Amino acid sequence: MALAAVASIRCSSQDLLSFGLAANASSALCSKLDFVADRLYATQLAVDNSYLLFSAYLVFAMQLGFAMLCAGSVRAKNTMNIMLTNVLDAACGGISYYLFGFAFAFGTGGTTNGFIGRYFFALSEIPDSSAGFDYSFFLFQWAFAIAAAGITSGSIAERTQFVAYLIYSTFLSGFVYPIVSHWAWSVDGWASASKPSGRLFGSGAIDFAGSGVVHLVGGLAGFWAAQIEGPRIGRFDKGGAATLVLKGHSASLVVLGTFLLWFGWYGFNPGSFVTILSPYGAGSFTGNWTGVGRTAVTTTLAGCSAAITTLFGRRLLTGHWAVVDVCNGLLGGFAAITAGCSVVDPWASLICGFVSAWVLIGLNLLAERFHYDDPLEAAQLHGGCGTWGLIFTALFAKEEHVLNVYGRTSTPYGLFLGGGGRLLAAQIVYILAIVGWVTVTMGPLFWMLHRLNLLRISPEDEVAGMDLTRHGGMAYYHQDGSHHDGHKFQLHNLSKHGGGNAPGMVHDAASPL
């Protein structure tokens, strides 16, 4: 039963008089019935908010997954640096999203604005019954915001100044990301599929849990950062040829992080229903609880399909069964299904994962071809697979699911299921808008940091490792408390070859530092 329906159940003593009850008895009975209705309403609010809080905790747990994945994907000499950026991602994002981000994203009020919200700065006037916002909703959305910033940090790992990270993370989570989420998720956003009327192409862009809002935004920001910053020393030689893939130091941490992210994704996607006690009709056996379950299933199957496809795809290309590649493929499938997880059938999610694996493999080949260096494949994985997920939704969204999830009586739906091309048009416009917005905001920011020499660390610090030069020591020590001093050899090589991407620097990849 919808919240409004429960809240509107009020007793009238005049109605009871028709049953032959005395006026005093009717009034007393009404009082009892109103009390029951109020308790039911409070119970529904408590259940829905508890569900949302639990989902927020799961999404926040993904930060631990990001931390482990990032740590395992970089060389040991930069472990403390990447772990600290993950911690401060949550901390800086918490302050900026509290002060500004939530208001920009969901600050609807007396006047609507399709581009940016304007109310609820620093959570003023929250809880707000008219908007339906309680503190649990803020916490859930904050967990999403810091996920976008975490994606970007992976693209520029191992070579970025710490002050640059603080600047861009605050800007991304407090301004750039919230505006895109307003477009897609606010009831007055110009691209929102939840708008009561005036939806884009009669449909609105369906980005249920954020293939565009979170993954494309974070991945594209990371792309511009890594492109402006340039590849790591040793990744390519002076002629531009790939010398050696600078592999991360721990496949175990990569696998641990992947499973933690998988677990957290059950809050990320199913939790985006926000409420769970909402039936799809009076006396219906199905409701939001059905959508929640189906969304968990489609999320699972897309990831599984992507993982298996990546396993055999990379085997064909490299001759190896590569666990790290499979983990990235799995996460690419999750990033892709995030947009349409609630509006597609399970069989379609298998197609989503299959194609996303090839999107990731293809983009990684292109990245190497054009000398683009992303230690975590973040731009390819989140940006590329997120974009595919938005297109996939436009092709395979099922009419019944769209009607139930978005509470409509008629709607455009998937092109391949007979729904026409209006949803596809809305998705394409939405993708182009995100690409344009992130490019004109994050691109100049990273360019300015680069021009001010605030973006990239020095070649000497990069070779030695940021843990030693910027964070007071190494993450790993021998039993006697010492650490490998191989960076002296690496600094010698740097001087010998004149810095830059010298062929001799590939020794750095094999070092535990």
Side-chain angles (χ1 to χ4, degrees):
M1 185 178 295
L3 288 176
V6 174
S8 64
I9 298 176
R10 310 304 297 176
C11 179
S12 170
S13 58
Q14 295 298 320
D15 293 336
L16 295 180
L17 289 176
S18 61
F19 291 98
L21 295 176
N24 290 341
S26 298
S27 179
L29 183 56
C30 268
S31 178
K32 298 289 186 182
L33 292 175
D34 286 342
F35 174 78
V36 172
D38 289 340
R39 297 296 290 179
L40 287 173
Y41 181 54
T43 299
Q44 180 172 7
L45 288 173
V47 170
D48 284 337
N49 276 275
S50 295
Y51 172 73
L52 187 58
L53 281 171
F54 177 73
S55 298
Y57 304 152
L58 286 177
V59 177
F60 180 71
M62 295 177 78
Q63 292 300 117
L64 177 57
F66 276 126
M68 296 298 101
L69 181 71
C70 290
S73 298
V74 302
R75 290 163 290 177
K77 62 183 180 180
N78 295 309
T79 303
M80 291 178 65
N81 172 265
I82 198 70
M83 296 288 277
L84 182 57
T85 61
N86 275 270
V87 173
L88 290 181
D89 171 42
C92 293
I95 300 300
S96 61
Y97 198 73
Y98 162 73
L99 292 175
F100 311 109
F102 184 79
F104 291 149
F106 297 100
T108 58
T111 57
T112 60
N113 185 322
F115 181 78
I116 187 173
R118 296 179 291 181
Y119 303 92
F120 307 134
F121 289 99
L123 295 186
S124 60
E125 301 181 21
I126 297 292
D128 183 271
S129 59
S130 61
F133 297 157
D134 208 335
Y135 293 109
S136 56
F137 186 72
F138 163 80
L139 193 73
F140 183 69
Q141 295 299 335
W142 160 73
F144 273 69
I146 60 177
I151 291 169
T152 304
S153 66
S155 295
I156 53 177
E158 301 200 286
R159 60 202 190 275
T160 305
Q161 292 192 48
F162 197 69
V163 65
Y165 178 83
L166 295 176
I167 293 171
Y168 91 75
S169 179
T170 302
F171 183 63
L172 180 64
S173 58
F175 181 69
V176 178
Y177 164 87
I179 288 180
V180 178
S181 61
H182 182 82
W183 298 350
W185 292 339
S186 178
V187 293
D188 60 352
W190 66 265
S192 177
S194 301
K195 290 181 71 174
S197 60
R199 291 184 291 269
L200 183 64
F201 293 104
S203 167
I206 295 180
D207 189 10
F208 184 73
S211 287
V213 174
V214 178
H215 298 286
L216 180 53
V217 168
L220 190 60
F223 168 79
W224 286 115
Q227 186 68 23
I228 292 170
E229 202 169 26
R232 291 167 292 171
I233 293 174
R235 181 64 180 90
F236 302 100
D237 64 22
K238 291 185 177 180
T243 55
L244 187 68
V245 176
L246 304 180
K247 294 183 178 180
H249 79 281
S250 176
S252 299
L253 288 178
V254 171
V255 173
L256 174 61
T258 299
F259 273 114
L260 287 169
L261 286 168
W262 189 338
F263 178 65
W265 233 292
Y266 291 129
F268 203 91
N269 286 2
S272 292
F273 276 86
V274 179
T275 63
I276 193 169
L277 285 182
S278 298
Y280 291 153
S284 175
F285 178 75
T286 59
N288 270 7
W289 53 86
T290 306
V292 166
R294 184 181 62 252
T295 297
V297 170
T298 57
T299 299
T300 301
L301 293 179
C304 293
S305 174
I308 294 172
T309 304
T310 303
L311 174 69
F312 287 99
R314 293 298 295 173
R315 169 72 175 179
L316 290 173
L317 291 172
T318 67
H320 301 293
W321 306 103
V323 63
V324 173
D325 290 337
V326 170
C327 287
N328 284 337
L330 175 82
L331 297 176
F334 288 155
I337 196 61
T338 295
C341 53
S342 65
V343 295
V344 300
D345 278 331
W347 63 265
S349 66
L350 296 172
I351 299 174
C352 178
F354 175 80
V355 175
S356 72
W358 290 111
V359 168
L360 180 57
I361 290 172
L363 289 176
N364 282 334
L365 293 175
L366 283 175
E368 184 171 318
R369 172 69 177 81
F370 290 99
H371 312 146
Y372 173 79
D373 182 25
D374 186 326
L376 274 89
E377 303 175 5
Q380 303 95 295
L381 191 161
H382 297 277
C385 294
T387 301
W388 154 243
L390 290 166
I391 300 298
F392 160 78
T393 303
L395 302 179
F396 290 96
K398 187 175 181 179
E399 181 181 23
E400 176 188 355
H401 300 330
V402 177
L403 293 175
N404 287 332
V405 171
Y406 290 97
R408 303 179 189 172
T409 56
S410 63
T411 184
Y413 53 100
L415 176 64
F416 289 172
L417 300 184
R422 288 186 292 168
L423 176 56
L424 178 60
Q427 301 292 86
I428 291 174
V429 170
Y430 174 63
I431 291 170
L432 294 176
I434 293 176
V435 171
W437 172 247
V438 176
T439 298
V440 301
T441 53
M442 298 304 296
L445 174 66
F446 286 118
W447 180 84
M448 182 177 65
L449 291 172
H450 175 68
R451 294 291 295 178
L452 295 174
N453 294 320
L454 295 175
L455 186 58
R456 185 157 185 160
I457 59 176
S458 68
E460 293 80 10
D461 285 354
E462 184 175 344
V463 173
M466 285 184 283
D467 287 3
L468 190 63
T469 62
R470 301 298 178 100
H471 301 291
M474 307 301 296
Y476 303 102
Y477 287 85
H478 299 303
Q479 289 184 351
D480 61 358
S482 65
H483 60 76
H484 182 27
D485 203 26
H487 67 281
K488 291 182 179 178
F489 171 81
Q490 297 159 352
L491 288 172
H492 170 72
N493 269 282
L494 178 65
S495 175
K496 177 180 177 182
H497 291 282
N501 297 329
M505 292 309 301
V506 300
H507 177 81
D508 185 48
S511 170
L513 293 176

